[in-house]
Amino acid sequence: MKPKRTAFFVSDRTGITSETLGHSLLAQFSSIDFEQIAIPFVDTTEKAHRVVDRINLAAEAEEARPLVFGTIIDKNIRTIIGGCAGFTIDVFSTYLEPLERELGIQSSYSVGKSHAIVDKESYDIRIDAVHFALDNDDGARTRHYDKADVILVGVSRSGKTPTCLYLALQFGICAANYPLTEDDLDDLELPAALKPHRKKLFGLSIDPERLAAIRNERKPNSRYSSYTQCVEEVRHAEALYARFGINFLNSTHASIEEISTRILESAGLKRKLA
Amino acid sequence: MKPKRTAFFVSDRTGITSETLGHSLLAQFSSIDFEQIAIPFVDTTEKAHRVVDRINLAAEAEEARPLVFGTIIDKNIRTIIGGCAGFTIDVFSTYLEPLERELGIQSSYSVGKSHAIVDKESYDIRIDAVHFALDNDDGARTRHYDKADVILVGVSRSGKTPTCLYLALQFGICAANYPLTEDDLDDLELPAALKPHRKKLFGLSIDPERLAAIRNERKPNSRYSSYTQCVEEVRHAEALYARFGINFLNSTHASIEEISTRILESAGLKRKLA
């Protein structure tokens, strides 16, 4: 059994940054089993003291002190948390001072600037992108394709929809998606709706074994989920990409983050959210 | 006009971590206008040298050196990037060594551990949660509510759908949502489909002015988007929350991250993705 260790993610805001950073760092120590506890919105000194108590209790109960990843903007709260018995890493403590020196100004210490709505504009961009992805999912509508930043194509269950939604939420990108059906694949032709938008197309592929497994959970023992069918569809889809010079990637071993970021790179798309 | 400065986010993987951290730090310096450039997948020494050239060019073109936020696991590439003319911050350089000492083991330096698929299980949890959110959006289906971790309720355009999708993608939470219509609101009764799941309900509210603005973009000058109508609906929705003891929050000035994280807190839900 792996050795265990507790890791806290503490923030006076959402804590998304400390969780993201903490996950990246902890992933480098895969031989340890980390019990991960997120404590966001620690925005009063009272709450901060309670968090310290909780960390100290964990430190007593275990043989090793807990790791504490913090993104705490408020100085008083940061100081209180810093006094806990854990091994603390706080990115604001580490980096704000050197950045202030480099930039020659004081940081605003504005609580929550990072994930609060800074301007209505970027909030709207994001929500509009989510609704765009939903309205233009699965080839349901194609008349808005001129407004799409990218149009994902691929066989059913190759990962198009989650990728479109991630592109919308994380980057504000308007992504439509269109499923390649057997009819499209048999004659190796681009569906008519896609022809005018060839430059916006990006393909997803997937290993047939994995595709069959995914489809089997949805429709067990069907033709749709049979290995033979999956092999055929994937082979034709890749042939279609080759024929029309459509960039594509294989989603089998990639996370949604990776697929999305690679699409941005490949399509030369600029992030719309800061 | 605000002074300008360039910031690069460089990674040998997706760069999501360096972007997230960089945004949080830069948000503390709101008097500067940062030109933000993401360069992910810098995974060969050749690419690394090209990135250095690009940063150095920016340094020459501007009066101040660019900021460089890095999450680079590969040591050779990290060293090359570290030699650029920018002001570099690399979270792995900063934190991996102290963490190795604290944990008493070497880190794996395994490229991409953080955002690659580490196990099929958490990948499936996430994709299933996305499909759950889509299948149970807007009250379309209610028969799967026993599988929901949380059911968001609120008037049309109060932010339910984007929040459900964020909960799915970021945390692997299965969130359904149900729109409160005029009929539900008029008699201040819980819709029948929601009654058995009262403990899973979480309400969204929104300022009527903002709601009217959002609805106006979709259906201009309609009864649906009129200020009077929005005031009425919001007032009734909040009365319904009060009557049935449903926790709720006002989404007007909150980001999707904040709404989602507060829902997790309030509902005592555990994150399903590490």
Side-chain angles (χ1 to χ4, degrees):
Chain A
M1 230 177 72
K2 287 185 186 180
K4 290 198 180 232
R5 193 93 179 222
T6 306
F8 289 93
F9 307 110
V10 182
S11 174
D12 49 1
R13 298 294 300 168
T14 65
I16 302 281
T17 302
S18 67
E19 285 189 60
T20 305
L21 177 71
H23 290 164
S24 288
L25 289 169
L26 295 182
Q28 307 311 314
F29 299 94
S30 51
S31 63
I32 298 177
D33 185 12
F34 293 101
E35 159 87 1
Q36 305 187 19
I37 299 169
I39 314 182
F41 304 115
V42 184
D43 47 14
T44 65
T45 55
E46 199 190 13
K47 287 187 194 168
H49 284 296
R50 281 207 301 272
V51 170
V52 169
D53 289 346
R54 190 169 166 189
I55 294 169
N56 291 353
L57 266 175
E60 277 173 40
E62 294 164 33
E63 296 195 3
R65 54 184 177 166
L67 307 181
V68 179
F69 296 91
T71 40
I72 301 165
I73 313 239
D74 183 275
K75 271 184 182 168
N76 293 325
I77 291 170
R78 210 194 298 162
T79 307
I80 295 168
I81 302 291
C84 75
F87 174 80
T88 61
I89 279 178
D90 186 291
V91 290
F92 290 118
S93 300
T94 309
Y95 294 127
L96 275 185
E97 244 185 66
L99 272 173
E100 288 180 347
R101 279 198 302 274
E102 173 65 23
L103 296 171
I105 52 168
Q106 292 281 302
S107 65
S108 59
Y109 289 98
S110 59
V111 175
K113 209 63 198 308
S114 45
H115 276 131
I117 302 173
V118 270
D119 56 321
K120 194 178 150 298
E121 197 192 335
S122 63
Y123 182 83
D124 287 348
I125 287 173
R126 192 178 199 189
I127 301 293
D128 287 349
V130 169
H131 286 291
F132 185 90
L134 294 172
D135 291 344
N136 298 279
D137 185 43
D138 213 28
R141 277 184 213 85
T142 60
R143 64 175 184 278
H144 302 300
Y145 279 8
D146 50 323
K147 286 182 198 150
D149 295 309
V150 63
I151 302 164
L152 298 192
V153 295
V155 303
S156 169
R157 288 277 148 167
S158 52
K160 300 182 299 298
T161 298
T163 304
C164 286
L165 292 168
Y166 189 85
L167 283 166
L169 279 166
Q170 185 75 21
F171 302 116
I173 295 288
C174 288
N177 76 80
Y178 190 96
L180 296 175
T181 63
E182 277 189 271
D183 290 343
D184 305 322
L185 294 169
D186 280 349
D187 54 7
L188 280 195
E189 277 300 334
L190 271 189
L194 298 181
K195 278 188 183 150
H197 307 286
R198 205 162 126 181
K199 287 185 179 160
K200 287 185 184 177
L201 303 182
F202 191 96
L204 288 184
S205 194
I206 182 170
D207 291 353
E209 295 82 356
R210 175 79 179 133
L211 183 61
I214 295 171
R215 288 183 173 183
N216 248 308
E217 287 193 17
R218 204 154 173 101
K219 293 187 187 164
N221 306 316
S222 60
R223 176 165 172 276
Y224 167 79
S225 64
S226 74
Y227 178 66
T228 335
Q229 176 71 15
C230 291
V231 169
E232 274 301 284
E233 287 189 28
V234 169
R235 197 168 57 86
H236 279 108
E238 294 195 0
L240 193 75
Y241 302 153
R243 179 167 181 205
F244 291 96
I246 298 168
N247 282 332
F248 76 97
L249 66 79
N250 186 314
S251 67
T252 312
H253 301 288
S255 63
I256 298 173
E257 283 84 350
E258 178 165 355
I259 300 169
S260 303
T261 318
R262 287 204 187 271
I263 290 169
L264 287 190
E265 281 299 286
S266 167
L269 289 172
K270 217 173 145 49
R271 289 143 175 79
K272 295 183 184 174
L273 304 173
Chain B
M1 231 178 74
K2 286 186 185 181
K4 290 196 177 231
R5 193 93 180 222
T6 307
F8 290 92
F9 307 111
V10 181
S11 174
D12 49 1
R13 297 294 301 166
T14 66
I16 302 282
T17 303
S18 66
E19 284 189 62
T20 304
L21 176 72
H23 289 164
S24 288
L25 289 169
L26 295 183
Q28 307 310 314
F29 299 93
S30 51
S31 63
I32 297 177
D33 184 13
F34 292 101
E35 159 87 2
Q36 305 187 20
I37 299 169
I39 315 184
F41 304 115
V42 183
D43 47 14
T44 64
T45 54
E46 199 192 14
K47 285 187 196 168
H49 284 297
R50 280 208 300 271
V51 171
V52 170
D53 289 346
R54 190 168 165 189
I55 295 169
N56 292 355
L57 265 175
E60 277 172 39
E62 293 163 33
E63 297 195 0
R65 53 184 179 168
L67 307 181
V68 180
F69 296 91
T71 42
I72 301 165
I73 314 239
D74 184 275
K75 271 185 183 168
N76 293 326
I77 292 170
R78 210 194 299 162
T79 308
I80 294 169
I81 301 293
C84 76
F87 175 80
T88 62
I89 279 178
D90 186 292
V91 290
F92 291 118
S93 300
T94 309
Y95 294 128
L96 275 184
E97 245 185 65
L99 273 172
E100 287 180 348
R101 280 199 302 275
E102 173 66 23
L103 297 170
I105 52 167
Q106 293 279 304
S107 66
S108 59
Y109 289 97
S110 59
V111 175
K113 212 60 200 305
S114 45
H115 276 133
I117 301 173
V118 271
D119 56 320
K120 193 178 151 299
E121 195 191 336
S122 63
Y123 182 82
D124 286 349
I125 288 173
R126 192 180 201 189
I127 300 293
D128 287 350
V130 169
H131 286 291
F132 185 90
L134 293 173
D135 291 344
N136 298 278
D137 185 44
D138 213 29
R141 278 183 213 84
T142 60
R143 66 177 183 275
H144 302 299
Y145 278 8
D146 50 323
K147 287 182 199 150
D149 295 309
V150 64
I151 302 164
L152 298 193
V153 294
V155 302
S156 168
R157 289 278 148 164
S158 52
K160 299 182 299 298
T161 298
T163 304
C164 286
L165 292 168
Y166 190 85
L167 283 166
L169 280 166
Q170 184 76 21
F171 303 117
I173 295 289
C174 289
N177 76 80
Y178 191 96
L180 297 174
T181 62
E182 277 189 272
D183 289 344
D184 305 321
L185 294 169
D186 279 350
D187 55 7
L188 279 194
E189 277 300 335
L190 271 189
L194 298 181
K195 277 187 182 150
H197 307 285
R198 204 163 124 179
K199 286 184 179 159
K200 288 186 186 177
L201 303 182
F202 192 96
L204 288 184
S205 194
I206 183 170
D207 291 352
E209 295 82 355
R210 173 80 179 134
L211 183 61
I214 294 171
R215 289 183 172 184
N216 249 306
E217 287 193 16
R218 205 157 172 98
K219 293 187 188 165
N221 306 316
S222 60
R223 177 165 170 274
Y224 168 79
S225 64
S226 74
Y227 179 66
T228 335
Q229 176 70 15
C230 292
V231 169
E232 274 301 284
E233 287 189 27
V234 169
R235 197 167 59 86
H236 278 108
E238 294 196 359
L240 193 75
Y241 303 153
R243 181 168 178 202
F244 292 96
I246 299 168
N247 282 333
F248 75 98
L249 67 77
N250 186 314
S251 67
T252 312
H253 301 289
S255 64
I256 297 173
E257 282 86 350
E258 177 164 357
I259 299 168
S260 303
T261 319
R262 287 204 186 270
I263 290 170
L264 288 190
E265 281 299 287
S266 168
L269 290 172
K270 217 173 144 50
R271 289 144 176 79
K272 295 182 183 174
L273 305 174

